[in-house]
Amino acid sequence: MVTRWLAPLDRKLLRDLLHLRGQIAAISVVVLCGVATVVAMRTAYRSLSLSQASYYAGYRFADVFAQVKRAPEPIARRVAAIPGVTAAQSRIVVEVTLDVPGLAEPATGRLVSIPDRRAPMLNDLHLRRGRWIEPGRRDEVLASEAFAAANRLEPGDAVDAVINGRWQRLRIVGVALSPEYIYEIRPASLFPDNRRFGVLWMSRDALEAAFDMKGAFNDLSLSLARGADQPDVIARVDRLLARYGGLGAYGRDDQLSNRFISDEIKQTRVSGTIIPAIFLGIAAFLLNIVLSRLVATQRDQIAVLKAFGYSNGVVGLHYLKLAFVGLLVGALGGLALGTWIGALLNRQYTQFYRFPVFAFELDATALGLAVLTTAFAAGIGALNAVRRAVALPPAEAMRPEGPGQFRPGIVEWVRADRWLALPARIIARNLERRPVKAGLSVLGIALAIATLVVGRFFLDAIRYIADVQFREVQRENVTVVFNQPRSAQVVHELAVLPGVLHAEPFRLAPARLRFAHRSRRVGLLGLPQDGQLRRMIDRSRRIVALPAEGLVLTRKLGEILGVRPGDTLAVEFLEGDRATRAVVVSGFVDEMVGISAYMSGRALHRLVREGGTVSGAFLMVDALAQDSLFGLLKRMPAVGGTVSRDATLASFEQTLQQSIGITMTILVGFAAAIAFAMVYNAARIALSERGRELASLRVLGFTRREVTTMLLGEQAVLTVAAIPMGLTLGYLIAVKLAGLYQWELFRVPLIISRFTYAYAVVTVAIAAILSGVGVRRRLNRLDLVQVLKTRE
Amino acid sequence: MEAVFRAHGLSKVYRMGEVTVPALRSVDLELYRGEFVVMLGPSGSGKSTLLNILGGLDHPTSGSVHFLDHDLATGGDKGLTRFRREHVGFVFQFYNLIPSLTARENVELVTEIAERPMTPEDALRLVGLGERLDHFPAQLSGGEQQRVAIARAVAKRPDVLLCDEPTGALDYETGKLVLEVLERVNREVGTTTAVITHNSAIAAMADRVIRLRSGTITEVRRNERRASPGELSW
């Protein structure tokens, strides 16, 4: 017997724990969910940032990048001599059309040169499988792992590429990763499409020969010394490259892959901070209520202990222990579950981003904070109740509690008692007499409902974004991109291909938008004013008309640049004659995905002073004819690449599923558990508070059913009252979160579906009904004689 | 006189873990219509157990107990609930009023589910509380609360009124007041009344006094004359 060695009070503790196991378990569940959320999210965030940082450091990810048309090699050495630059690596980077086995449509390959020998290089590669390129072998390439995986390519396989107008076979000898292409994305595209776009690393020799770049380069990566003045370096690089057709150097912030991945990591930080904070706050609050009520039901026992001479301190400690056992079980469970989920999320992210390094760090501070918060809430709750109990002289506390202090109140004042049946009057007066307690119960259940709404809100928002973006904004199902600007005539040729129902041209001009000291590189998209396929649609699904003149910016881009409609921007075109023009911002469009700048095609042509050249076309294609059309497009020399909307949609959904979908699914599960624990505890405590009264009614001849109705009726009233409050609270938290989830990649709209509201209500209703069934079982076992004898 | 309760060989054994505690040992007992019985005994004598069995709150371990033609020994929960609802009025030491209901409503609680009840007002007038109908328990003294409990118990015109230490929580004066009410109800309404108490002074107001000790009836005595509660003192 373990109990023999325990102090009597601890023996009582042990037995109380056994007796109250249902309620203690419910407390543990609440703590567990709160702590697990914090630990999982913070751990995932910390581990992901750490993985990114060590990947960047270990593989020498560059700090500054520049593209240029064609610069002689000595320029690279002059760049390397700029103060603050520690290394400069010149490269040849070209995009070519690929014919990938098993893929109907043409793919785009980005060929990136690597030094022949394994000399130290910036943006170093991590070889996953296969081997390095052998010197002198000009047809050997390393393929990026994402591209290889999407197309099931392995070392030994080959892809065909159009190199300088001729098909050439490239042999894949290895599969590699690069910190530069964690997020492997085609320029001006939002989501990776790993089947149709991939990076291939080739020997510098081969690329020099094929593209006539002997002794020259078109791409430069720099690493900077700690504390170097990056804007100054960029300005000097731009000056050096200007006469060779430099496209403007930029830092990591503008590097596509890094920007997206940093955005996503930032996003996990918000998910990992705000959401756990909300969960923890709710858990702490619920814990406080539950414990104070639980301890309050032990009033007579506290009195007896005091009568025997136990001090207030000892009694207080006893109940703190009771509280802390539930807490400890919850915290340990939360730690274990949170670490497990954190590791799971981390592995998910690491696989998704294909990090070659795998860092895992438990966020001990967050864990400590979570445990302290819940402990504090539990302690305050328990101690408050103990303090109230010990404030009474023991003799008084041992006497049955006097009849509740009921006085005529609102119910009587409005004469509601006339039309309320007696059980209803009991319920009404109970609520009226303890409005604070009733209010807290309502608030507790409401918070549980709110967490359910918040958890599902993100899933709704993602669905909404996908729906608007891919059904209303992008009505084309195929986008064709030309390998260089072409005459508008090409679009007519596309329009008559079999299977093409409708074609509209677009002009995409790479440009840097500058306003005051802020700037951003974007693809300036020129669209036909009367276009039907690509439309600008704001988050309320309104179509925004394209003005004849001026720029329309995604609102987020406007915020990044700090402009307002009517302001004049400097547009520095990054191709052609690289002119800088002043353009008025005529309006914003409240788009949810990406950042874009739109102009009417005509206005854009006037601006770059060219005829009706186009960069590509949006096509509406008969789904049945799609594959044969891709076959034709593959053979058209003008076509640099094609983008399929369905593939982009799939990629979008995968991206968001990976980043927030899983998290939200877990949260919804936690929210349901909290809701259940909360409602169950409220009903159980109500039973112990009212047991005596209910037993009296049973003795007077009331049936079980009638007595159950009286007890559960009150719970039902509280639950029903909590529903509108919970839905409102959930909405308000969603408003706050939607305000925080405003990234470049996407912005979460405040969309909560009816299904989500219904889901929250139904989940709580089910929790209430199951709790009711549990309580009813206890009510049936109520020992009438015993309850009448025991004093409260 | 007609016997309303008939108990034969009534035993009750409580099982507390591995120990069995006999509370009643083979008790034979009859209660007659309209009589006022006081059951006397120290604590642990089995008087409460006996009252609980007669009131349909507990089952005997063996033996038979009948109320008229109701078999209380074997009745299920449903049957016992109906028996309590239709025939029994209870008065407890701690009143057990519903704190959220007024005096009138506490009585109504019972008259609503009874077949031919008094009005709550009449019941409360009977116990001398005609003026305090709309007071909540918290606004009433202990004696007043106990009188509300008595009004609640008698309002349905029960066949039998069972009182468990009705004066136990009251002071001397108030206790006597409550006993007067019980006596009046018995006299005016003719309700069979059983009062259990350890206060032997109360025995003088009974028609019959039944003494219990250690689970058996040690004495049944008939009083020649019922003393009025005013004559009692302790």
Side-chain angles (χ1 to χ4, degrees):
Chain A
M1 288 308 247
V2 187
T3 50
R4 204 177 302 158
W5 293 292
L6 291 173
L9 215 47
D10 289 330
R11 260 177 265 167
K12 166 176 164 9
L13 179 69
L14 209 62
R15 287 176 192 138
D16 281 352
L17 285 172
L18 278 177
H19 180 63
L20 298 170
R21 60 186 177 275
Q23 290 166 80
I24 300 283
I27 289 171
S28 300
V29 166
V30 172
V31 175
L32 184 144
C33 291
V35 171
T37 315
V38 174
V39 171
M41 307 278 242
R42 293 293 305 181
T43 296
Y45 163 65
R46 284 281 287 259
S47 305
L48 190 59
S49 324
L50 213 63
S51 296
Q52 185 198 27
S54 63
Y55 187 12
Y56 280 2
Y59 290 82
R60 310 189 354 120
F61 181 51
D63 295 302
V64 172
F65 306 82
Q67 277 85 49
V68 59
K69 207 163 174 76
R70 187 182 198 280
E73 192 58 35
I75 294 293
R77 285 194 286 277
R78 286 178 62 191
V79 168
I82 292 173
V85 175
T86 53
Q89 174 123 34
S90 65
R91 299 187 297 188
I92 298 164
V93 177
V94 281
E95 274 173 30
V96 297
T97 300
L98 297 180
D99 184 8
V100 178
L103 187 67
E105 61 270 38
T108 304
R110 175 172 294 179
L111 306 181
V112 178
S113 73
I114 49 174
D116 250 355
R117 284 170 200 280
R118 289 284 304 123
M121 63 183 258
L122 294 180
N123 306 316
D124 207 352
L125 300 184
H126 173 87
L127 190 66
R128 279 280 233 227
R129 289 191 295 284
R131 59 167 174 82
W132 296 98
I133 294 166
E134 274 177 15
R137 298 299 300 264
R138 293 189 170 179
D139 62 342
E140 288 186 353
V141 294
L142 300 173
S144 74
E145 189 179 47
F147 179 67
N151 288 297
R152 304 211 178 124
L153 297 171
E154 286 297 326
D157 291 339
V159 292
D160 292 333
V162 179
I163 292 178
N164 254 352
R166 285 181 316 160
W167 284 101
Q168 190 182 327
R169 178 145 294 194
L170 302 178
R171 296 182 194 289
I172 297 170
V173 296
V175 171
L177 296 171
S178 160
E180 196 184 359
Y181 295 105
I182 294 172
Y183 210 93
E184 205 170 323
I185 195 168
R186 189 198 304 264
S189 189
L190 279 172
F191 301 99
D193 177 1
N194 296 129
R195 281 208 82 184
R196 293 163 198 82
F197 179 80
V199 177
L200 300 170
W201 289 275
M202 264 178 109
S203 82
R204 175 93 181 239
D205 279 355
L207 283 169
E208 279 184 355
F211 292 92
D212 189 23
M213 295 286 274
K214 197 80 196 152
F217 66 92
N218 68 356
D219 182 283
L220 204 55
S221 304
L222 314 178
S223 61
L224 301 186
R226 192 183 284 268
D229 181 359
Q230 183 174 300
D232 176 63
V233 171
I234 287 175
R236 285 165 186 258
V237 171
D238 280 350
R239 273 203 296 279
L240 278 171
L241 295 181
R243 51 182 291 226
Y244 303 103
L247 294 184
Y250 51 91
R252 281 186 181 182
D253 284 352
D254 270 330
Q255 203 267 344
L256 268 181
S257 164
N258 176 62
R259 194 162 85 209
F260 281 118
I261 194 159
S262 298
D263 228 23
E264 292 207 12
I265 291 177
K266 246 188 278 169
Q267 196 178 297
T268 59
R269 193 184 61 197
V270 173
S271 310
T273 309
I274 309 280
I275 293 172
I278 292 172
F279 260 69
L280 201 63
I282 291 173
F285 173 74
L286 298 183
L287 204 57
N288 183 296
I289 301 181
V290 165
L291 273 170
S292 77
R293 288 182 68 180
L294 191 62
V295 173
T297 58
Q298 301 234 337
R299 170 187 138 116
D300 60 326
Q301 298 192 21
I302 294 175
V304 171
L305 292 174
K306 281 200 62 187
F308 288 160
Y310 283 97
S311 71
N312 289 354
V314 174
V315 174
L317 190 67
H318 173 66
Y319 284 96
L320 269 185
K321 282 186 196 164
L322 183 74
F324 284 162
V325 168
L327 191 78
L328 195 70
V329 172
L332 286 176
L335 173 62
L337 186 65
T339 310
W340 184 70
I341 294 174
L344 198 76
L345 286 176
N346 190 26
R347 197 169 319 135
Q348 190 92 38
Y349 284 130
T350 308
Q351 271 170 17
F352 182 62
Y353 296 125
R354 302 176 186 283
F355 284 161
V357 290
F358 181 87
F360 183 80
E361 190 181 84
L362 192 69
D363 191 341
T365 323
L367 172 69
L369 215 63
V371 172
L372 275 183
T373 311
T374 44
F376 184 73
I380 294 284
L383 283 181
N384 259 341
V386 171
R387 213 187 50 219
R388 254 175 289 146
V390 298
L392 288 174
E396 198 176 317
M398 268 192 288
R399 219 172 295 146
E401 200 170 358
Q405 294 295 310
F406 286 89
R407 298 254 180 275
I410 301 165
V411 176
E412 289 65 41
W413 190 68
V414 299
R415 306 299 307 164
D417 50 335
R418 283 186 181 169
W419 46 265
L420 283 177
L422 283 175
R425 266 182 249 176
I426 294 180
I427 293 171
R429 291 199 182 118
N430 269 318
L431 298 178
E432 185 186 81
R433 180 171 74 104
R434 306 274 305 268
V436 175
K437 189 173 97 178
L440 287 177
S441 297
V442 169
L443 187 59
I445 299 170
L447 284 172
I449 296 174
T451 52
L452 284 164
V453 172
V454 170
R456 275 209 51 96
F457 149 64
F458 283 94
L459 303 175
D460 284 346
I462 293 173
R463 200 150 300 146
Y464 183 81
I465 294 176
D467 208 42
V468 171
Q469 184 68 25
F470 298 104
R471 307 220 182 286
E472 298 185 23
V473 174
Q474 292 177 238
R475 298 209 296 175
E476 79 281 0
N477 45 15
V478 172
T479 305
V480 174
V481 184
F482 302 142
N483 45 19
Q484 62 187 65
R486 301 272 169 170
S487 102
Q489 184 55 34
V490 183
V491 177
H492 297 300
E493 288 169 22
L494 286 175
V496 298
L497 290 176
V500 176
L501 305 174
H502 184 59
E504 280 176 13
F506 67 86
R507 177 75 174 95
L508 187 68
R512 193 200 296 269
L513 306 185
R514 195 183 288 282
F515 185 75
H517 62 284
R518 305 184 197 189
S519 70
R520 184 63 103 204
R521 285 161 55 97
V522 295
L524 186 50
L525 188 61
L527 296 173
Q529 252 185 298
D530 54 354
Q532 293 300 309
L533 293 181
R534 179 61 67 97
R535 301 180 302 177
M536 295 184 295
I537 298 211
D538 70 14
R539 64 174 72 196
S540 319
R541 298 192 151 170
R542 277 190 301 262
I543 298 173
V544 177
L546 193 59
E549 295 292 333
L551 271 170
V552 175
L553 305 181
T554 305
R555 184 177 299 281
K556 178 75 181 173
L557 179 57
E559 286 166 7
I560 291 170
L561 294 172
V563 292
R564 268 181 293 193
D567 286 341
T568 302
L569 278 178
V571 178
E572 303 169 19
F573 287 99
L574 297 175
E575 58 169 34
D577 61 359
R578 303 174 51 80
T580 297
R581 308 259 188 261
V583 185
V584 173
V585 176
S586 58
F588 287 158
V589 53
D590 216 355
E591 289 179 320
M592 296 175 291
V593 178
I595 52 170
S596 308
Y598 302 96
M599 279 189 97
S600 105
R602 283 169 200 279
L604 183 56
H605 290 144
R606 274 199 298 278
L607 212 56
V608 294
R609 297 190 182 137
E610 60 183 20
T613 57
V614 295
S615 311
F618 297 125
L619 306 182
M620 179 87 88
V621 174
D622 180 353
L624 292 174
Q626 201 159 312
D627 280 358
S628 60
L629 179 70
F630 282 140
L632 290 173
L633 289 174
K634 221 189 273 193
R635 285 194 287 277
M636 286 181 73
V639 173
T642 57
V643 181
S644 140
R645 181 187 59 185
D646 292 345
T648 317
L649 176 57
S651 165
F652 170 84
E653 284 183 338
Q654 196 199 359
T655 307
L656 291 192
Q657 270 307 320
Q658 301 267 5
S659 52
I660 58 179
I662 294 168
T663 315
M664 290 307 147
T665 307
I666 292 169
L667 287 188
V668 169
F670 280 177
I674 289 184
F676 191 86
M678 194 52 211
V679 175
Y680 174 74
N681 240 330
R684 275 299 309 277
I685 291 172
L687 175 62
S688 49
E689 285 171 347
R690 306 270 303 281
R692 184 181 166 83
E693 180 177 326
L694 298 172
S696 303
L697 289 169
R698 289 276 289 123
V699 168
L700 292 177
F702 282 81
T703 60
R704 284 174 177 168
R705 180 186 293 270
E706 287 163 333
V707 169
T708 309
T709 310
M710 270 182 241
L711 178 68
L712 297 184
E714 192 175 325
Q715 295 304 308
V717 169
L718 293 175
T719 308
V720 168
I723 288 171
M725 191 196 240
L727 297 183
T728 311
L729 269 174
Y731 176 80
L732 292 177
I733 297 174
V735 169
K736 185 82 195 141
L737 285 175
L740 287 166
Y741 275 74
Q742 299 292 321
W743 317 107
E744 281 190 36
L745 184 58
F746 68 96
R747 287 158 298 277
V748 169
L750 185 59
I751 297 293
I752 304 176
S753 68
R754 285 199 197 128
F755 178 82
T756 291
Y757 287 129
Y759 170 84
V761 172
V762 168
T763 304
V764 166
I766 290 173
I769 289 167
L770 290 179
S771 304
V773 170
V775 166
R776 161 120 211 221
R777 287 223 321 261
R778 296 202 154 249
L779 212 49
N780 288 346
R781 291 204 302 264
L782 203 61
D783 184 338
L784 302 187
V785 179
Q786 214 50 42
V787 174
L788 289 180
K789 292 285 176 201
T790 47
R791 297 131 186 228
E792 296 192 348
Chain B
M1 260 195 291
E2 185 196 0
V4 286
F5 278 108
R6 278 166 295 128
H8 294 291
L10 210 55
S11 297
K12 178 71 184 178
V13 178
Y14 287 112
R15 217 168 281 282
M16 322 281 261
E18 288 162 25
V19 190
T20 55
V21 180
L24 286 179
R25 306 164 196 253
S26 194
V27 168
D28 295 325
L29 172 82
E30 290 188 333
L31 295 186
Y32 303 106
R33 187 175 292 283
E35 74 171 339
F36 194 117
V37 176
V38 169
M39 297 190 204
L40 268 182
S43 67
S45 61
K47 57 188 193 303
S48 286
T49 305
L50 182 57
L51 194 82
N52 288 338
I53 291 172
L54 295 180
L57 290 173
D58 208 350
H59 290 280
T61 311
S62 64
S64 69
V65 54
H66 284 85
F67 174 80
L68 300 176
D69 54 351
H70 290 268
D71 184 350
L72 302 182
T74 56
D77 179 75
K78 271 217 175 81
L80 290 182
T81 301
R82 228 187 50 232
F83 163 67
R84 293 198 299 270
R85 194 170 183 143
E86 290 170 0
H87 302 288
V88 191
F90 279 103
V91 176
F92 305 104
Q93 181 175 6
F94 297 115
Y95 338 130
N96 291 73
L97 296 179
I98 306 302
S100 54
L101 297 180
T102 62
R104 189 209 308 260
E105 289 165 346
N106 262 288
V107 179
E108 263 180 54
L109 198 62
V110 167
T111 59
E112 270 188 359
I113 58 170
E115 272 183 22
R116 36 174 199 87
M118 313 178 189
T119 64
E121 293 77 11
D122 284 346
L124 284 163
R125 266 195 289 278
L126 191 65
V127 298
L129 286 176
E131 307 303 308
R132 319 214 62 179
L133 296 172
D134 293 320
H135 286 65
F136 283 95
Q139 298 170 298
L140 299 170
S141 72
E144 286 171 329
Q145 288 185 52
Q146 189 60 298
R147 283 188 283 158
V148 174
I150 294 170
R152 180 175 69 179
V154 301
K156 64 174 162 188
R157 303 181 201 276
D159 295 301
V160 54
L161 187 59
L162 301 178
C163 313
D164 190 349
E165 298 276 9
T167 59
L170 300 174
D171 63 62
Y172 179 74
E173 298 298 336
T174 319
K176 282 173 74 159
L177 209 61
V178 163
L179 290 175
E180 270 169 15
V181 171
L182 287 176
E183 195 266 346
R184 188 157 107 223
V185 168
N186 176 255
R187 187 159 36 79
E188 291 180 7
V189 189
T191 314
T192 309
T193 306
V195 174
I196 63 171
T197 180
H198 63 272
N199 183 349
S200 54
I202 295 175
M205 64 180 282
D207 290 312
R208 281 198 303 154
V209 182
I210 297 171
R211 262 181 206 282
L212 288 107
R213 173 168 296 160
S214 306
T216 54
I217 295 179
T218 54
E219 182 195 0
V220 179
R221 191 184 77 218
R222 181 168 291 280
N223 283 332
E224 290 304 311
R225 188 187 78 85
R226 272 167 61 164
S228 80
E231 300 168 46
L232 306 180
S233 66
W234 59 85

